[in-house]
Amino acid sequence: MYEKTYPEKRFGITLEFLKTHAPPPAQILDLGVENPFSKLLSKEGYSIENTKGQDLDLDQSQLKASSAEITTAFEIFEHLLSPLEVLKSLQSEYLFASIPLKLWFAKAYQSKTDPWDRHYHEFEQWQFDWLLDKAGWDILASKSFTHPVNKIGIRPVLRLFTPRYYLVFCKRKSA
């Protein structure tokens, strides 16, 4: 159904999950600048509006002004200092989000070349669930999956069966 390589495996699982719970056409606010996955969503029939690269910790104006029925946030919340404020600022009724899970055998990710590409949070599943609940979201469905790498060693073997990504479909709680 999808390629077993990165990022095709992750894209395939995420797209299948999204289509299962919110088939196209749907209007989506995608947190993050235009990227290969948001382009794929457009090709699949979704109407995509991306955020403009603003620092979402400091500027949630686009989130508050959006009329999209769905917000997607794929591998975004780990880069934010205050994901709670961003989650509370969303105006959509539904949220699809994914995060890399904290791995006991690996340090938090920090790019050696890009000062903005770092993880301030690497959640355990229960922590992300708690954050979503506190921000006013009910989880309707979830899925976790592995991320094998083509390397030799103990950590690559552990990645064969240790879930690396966690994907959720949420609905805003009733007031």
Side-chain angles (χ1 to χ4, degrees):
M1 179 165 245
Y2 50 83
E3 296 291 321
K4 303 248 187 258
T5 60
Y6 176 86
E8 290 81 12
K9 175 185 178 183
R10 183 170 49 95
F11 284 7
I13 290 171
T14 304
L15 181 61
E16 183 178 306
F17 188 82
L18 180 62
K19 284 178 139 181
T20 297
H21 300 289
Q27 185 182 2
I28 293 176
L29 172 65
D30 182 46
L31 303 189
V33 297
E34 186 179 57
N35 59 73
F37 191 71
S38 63
K39 290 177 184 177
L40 175 63
L41 291 177
S42 289
K43 287 180 186 172
E44 292 289 326
Y46 294 97
S47 175
I48 305 294
E49 171 193 0
N50 286 91
T51 52
K52 309 296 184 232
Q54 69 269 37
D55 184 338
L56 294 175
D57 280 316
L58 301 174
D59 180 4
Q60 295 105 29
S61 58
Q62 185 181 3
L63 311 181
K64 293 175 181 175
S66 176
S67 61
E69 59 189 306
I70 297 170
T71 297
T72 57
F74 301 122
E75 285 90 63
I76 294 295
F77 293 120
E78 67 275 9
H79 299 279
L80 299 174
L81 290 172
S82 186
L84 177 64
E85 293 307 313
V86 171
L87 284 162
K88 287 176 14 182
S89 296
L90 299 175
Q91 300 301 303
S92 61
E93 184 176 357
Y94 296 100
L95 168 69
F96 286 85
S98 63
I99 55 162
L101 292 168
K102 180 179 180 190
L103 299 176
W104 60 269
F105 54 85
K107 292 181 181 179
Y109 174 76
Q110 181 177 349
S111 172
K112 303 229 186 284
T113 58
D114 183 348
W116 294 102
D117 191 13
R118 56 187 64 180
H119 291 182
Y120 293 103
H121 306 279
E122 285 194 347
F123 301 93
E124 292 184 32
Q125 191 171 317
W126 70 269
Q127 291 170 311
F128 193 59
D129 291 352
W130 184 41
L131 173 65
L132 291 165
D133 180 60
K134 190 168 186 162
W137 295 93
D138 284 321
I139 298 171
L140 303 178
S142 66
K143 179 181 187 79
S144 56
F145 55 98
T146 62
H147 173 62
V149 294
N150 291 327
K151 295 182 181 177
I152 298 173
I154 299 293
R155 289 195 291 186
V157 169
L158 292 171
R159 287 180 185 270
L160 290 171
F161 56 86
T162 304
R164 175 59 172 153
Y165 290 103
Y166 181 52
L167 183 58
V168 294
F169 167 46
C170 305
K171 182 176 184 187
R172 179 172 302 287
K173 291 182 181 186
S174 306

